[in-house]
Amino acid sequence: MRLYNSLSRQVEEVKPVDERTVKMYSCGPTVYRYIHIGNMRSFMLGDLIRRGLRFEGQDVRWIMNITDVGHMTDEVTDTGRDKMELAVDDEGLTPQQIGQKYTDAFLADADLVGIERADLYPRASDHVPEMIEIIQKLLEKGHAYEVDGTVYYDVTTFPQYGKLSGNTLDALRAGHRQDTVADPNKRHPADFALWKKAGPGRLLKWPSPWGDGYPGWHIECSAMSMKHIGERFDIHTGGNDNKFPHHEDEIAQSEGATGQQVVSIWVHGGFLQMGGQKMAKSAQNIRRVTDLRDQGVDPLAYRLLCFATRYRSEMDFNWDALQGANERLTSIRKRMADWSKEPRPEPLSEGAQGFDRRFRDAVADDLDLPQAMVVLNELVSSPAVSGGEKYALLSLWDAVLGLDLMRLAREAWEPSEEINDLVRQRDEARSRKDYAASDAIRRRLIDMGLEVMDTAKGTRVRPSG
Ligand SMILES: [Zn+2]
């Protein structure tokens, strides 16, 4: 698979540095509010990259952080208060309870739009010691300085600062001239806080060598990525709005502390626009994934809608297009239910293999899902490929698409009493470790034209065609 690397500004082949497992880190949600569907598009990017790589047979380890401290301090309100602390006031819960509530909601929403769970969701608040350790290293190496309990990164000590975003230090200094609220303790206006001194009455604070305080936003991603996937890893994803300052600062921290390149490929997803307006959290038009469901739309139709736009481009959202995607999804699922009853030739015909090659090429080409959907639509209406083959190809491709295309085919099929009996007998045989008996029943089910799967909940069967 090739991906556009925001750092080199080129499309590059993904080659795991350890030659075995692709390691990927995605900037995750801030958890003091619900996640709107615009952000969900950027979280879907990591899921699609992982699915695309697995489709090619690559192993992937994917980490997505949960920001439950730090980021909020950069998003102070007009009254200068931390948003997590405002949520605590509004909802009468502790910061931990707020964090848990919105983490659970995020995961439930992510499930609804077909984002498979990451391998790990580390929480920022669980990694403060690791952050302090990196900050100490940066102080030792002369990349940071402390003023009255707050530690800043000295951007002038990192000559490559700006290499990701193109924001040079000179341009940043010029841009800050009019900044009336400049922090007088900073040596350069682009210097950023690694650690902040806790003010009076602050709830979320930790002891540190510089006194009680709390981490800046960017340091959490340096700490959690390097702890969980190492000081040299393959892919880092985020939204376009993370590129600067968040990822620029992360590079300065991680590379400043380790003295080496840490991330190979930086991938950034485009915004979602609603009626031409960027879906900012402050805007009125925030919609949660569950809002889609309440409007009678399958949240996976939103996923399908996203495939019409290349991930790096901004995407315009409107309800009409979503309704269209919803109808299209249902129509494909209905046809899949019909096709599931047709025989599936082995091997696939030349024509079907041609479609498969084109689909795989599109996915591997910097996740060109608009092109992959062109191939899919051609296949669906192609008179040259049999229904059984269409079913076989689409169920294969759904590993990348995650649209649950087999839903109606699955629901339309009912196992007979005889099959249910055999499944029960097999599970009993397995639970008493009688593997000869369980294998015999498995062979009988296969002879009946079924696919037999071992799941955590026991034997599952479905028609193999
Ligand atoms: Zn991040």
Side-chain angles (χ1 to χ4, degrees):
M1 175 183 259
R2 298 173 303 282
L3 289 171
Y4 181 83
N5 186 350
S6 306
L7 186 61
S8 67
R9 292 153 179 86
Q10 280 172 352
V11 175
E12 293 177 17
E13 183 84 37
V14 178
K15 280 184 258 164
V17 280
D18 73 358
E19 293 177 2
R20 292 194 313 274
T21 304
V22 177
K23 301 201 178 69
M24 175 165 68
Y25 182 91
S26 296
C27 288
T30 47
V31 288
Y32 57 85
R33 59 169 177 223
Y34 292 115
I35 303 304
H36 65 68
I37 59 172
N39 280 133
M40 225 27 124
R41 182 180 179 222
S42 121
F43 299 132
M44 209 184 288
L45 175 58
D47 170 69
L48 285 166
I49 293 172
R50 180 169 67 170
R51 285 171 180 267
L53 287 165
R54 283 183 172 167
F55 196 53
E56 291 186 336
Q58 301 236 44
D59 278 336
V60 185
R61 180 162 164 76
W62 182 31
I63 310 295
M64 180 184 278
N65 72 297
I66 299 289
T67 298
D68 59 353
V69 64
H71 189 177
M72 292 68 93
T73 58
D74 281 20
E75 293 189 340
V76 287
T77 59
D78 293 343
T79 54
R81 293 191 56 204
D82 179 307
K83 289 200 171 177
M84 174 62 101
E85 300 207 340
L86 280 180
V88 165
D89 278 357
D90 286 352
E91 304 198 32
L93 301 170
T94 66
Q96 288 73 20
Q97 287 167 331
I98 296 270
Q100 195 58 51
K101 172 182 169 181
Y102 290 106
T103 300
D104 292 345
F106 162 70
L107 292 173
D109 285 2
D111 289 347
L112 287 174
V113 291
I115 297 176
E116 287 181 334
R117 296 280 171 109
D119 296 291
L120 193 71
Y121 292 96
R123 274 195 295 251
S125 61
D126 290 336
H127 293 76
V128 175
E130 286 86 351
M131 298 183 216
I132 290 175
E133 201 178 306
I134 296 174
I135 297 169
Q136 279 178 310
K137 215 177 268 178
L138 290 170
L139 281 164
E140 281 161 25
K141 293 193 168 189
H143 285 301
Y145 56 94
E146 187 218 332
V147 183
D148 185 29
T150 291
V151 184
Y152 297 95
Y153 192 99
D154 180 348
V155 290
T156 62
T157 66
F158 190 73
Q160 307 100 299
Y161 193 84
K163 66 179 172 179
L164 177 69
S165 63
N167 290 324
T168 62
L169 290 183
D170 287 345
L172 288 168
R173 186 184 286 283
H176 276 267
R177 290 235 167 87
Q178 284 89 29
D179 192 348
T180 49
V181 289
D183 181 344
N185 292 331
K186 287 185 183 179
R187 294 178 188 169
H188 187 286
D191 289 353
F192 56 92
L194 298 163
W195 186 263
K196 295 183 187 181
K197 181 183 185 168
R202 192 184 160 82
L203 291 173
L204 282 166
K205 59 182 176 186
W206 288 262
S208 82
W210 318 286
D212 281 2
Y214 53 98
W217 169 30
H218 319 301
I219 193 69
E220 66 168 273
C221 286
S222 286
M224 287 186 276
S225 62
M226 292 196 289
K227 173 170 181 184
H228 295 290
I229 44 178
E231 294 182 355
R232 187 74 188 84
F233 64 91
D234 305 296
I235 303 173
H236 196 311
T237 78
N240 262 337
D241 53 343
N242 290 146
K243 208 183 278 178
F244 186 85
H246 185 49
H247 290 161
E248 193 74 65
D249 291 352
E250 184 179 330
I251 291 174
Q253 293 163 163
S254 300
E255 299 194 358
T258 62
Q260 63 170 40
Q261 183 185 5
V262 174
V263 178
S264 299
I265 301 182
W266 289 86
V267 187
H268 292 98
F271 291 128
L272 181 78
Q273 300 202 331
M274 223 163 188
Q277 188 186 7
K278 183 192 153 195
M279 268 197 76
K281 48 200 155 285
S282 53
Q284 298 282 313
N285 49 21
I286 296 168
R287 283 176 208 274
R288 234 187 116 184
V289 169
T290 48
D291 293 339
L292 305 175
R293 207 178 41 184
D294 295 345
Q295 300 281 332
V297 170
D298 184 334
L300 290 179
Y302 171 64
R303 187 175 172 97
L304 175 61
L305 183 67
C306 289
F307 294 169
T309 307
R310 199 74 179 266
Y311 74 85
R312 276 191 277 136
S313 307
E314 295 198 354
M315 174 181 155
D316 283 314
F317 176 86
N318 68 65
W319 284 102
D320 289 344
L322 183 69
Q323 297 281 1
N326 198 47
E327 282 160 28
R328 178 72 182 145
L329 186 56
T330 307
S331 137
I332 298 173
R333 286 176 179 157
K334 278 184 183 155
R335 303 191 71 174
M336 286 289 278
D338 294 339
W339 294 332
S340 71
K341 296 178 188 115
E342 295 186 32
R344 262 158 257 171
E346 284 245 25
L348 292 173
S349 66
E350 270 301 314
Q353 286 180 36
F355 277 106
D356 194 35
R357 269 192 301 275
R358 286 175 61 209
F359 181 86
R360 286 170 189 274
D361 286 348
V363 172
D365 179 17
D366 191 23
L367 269 185
D368 192 348
L369 291 175
Q371 175 58 24
M373 295 317 290
V374 167
V375 177
L376 182 145
N377 291 332
E378 276 180 36
L379 172 71
V380 166
S381 55
S382 168
V385 177
S386 74
E389 287 192 307
K390 288 178 186 180
Y391 184 87
L393 282 181
L394 288 186
S395 15
L396 214 59
W397 297 353
D398 204 43
V400 178
L401 302 174
L403 294 171
D404 200 10
L405 296 176
M406 294 78 79
R407 183 182 292 173
L408 294 179
R410 210 168 45 234
E411 286 168 5
W413 181 77
E414 292 285 345
S416 65
E417 240 343 277
E418 184 193 3
I419 291 170
N420 282 334
D421 272 348
L422 286 169
V423 165
R424 233 177 344 257
Q425 286 170 32
R426 179 166 187 264
D427 284 340
E428 281 161 19
R430 280 166 64 83
S431 68
R432 57 175 193 270
K433 298 196 182 341
D434 183 352
Y435 296 115
S438 95
D439 278 352
I441 299 171
R442 177 191 180 86
R443 274 192 300 277
R444 245 186 97 183
L445 289 164
I446 289 169
D447 287 346
M448 293 167 78
L450 298 170
E451 186 182 341
V452 181
M453 295 157 288
D454 293 322
T455 74
K457 290 174 183 163
T459 304
R460 288 283 179 276
V461 292
R462 66 181 173 204
S464 64

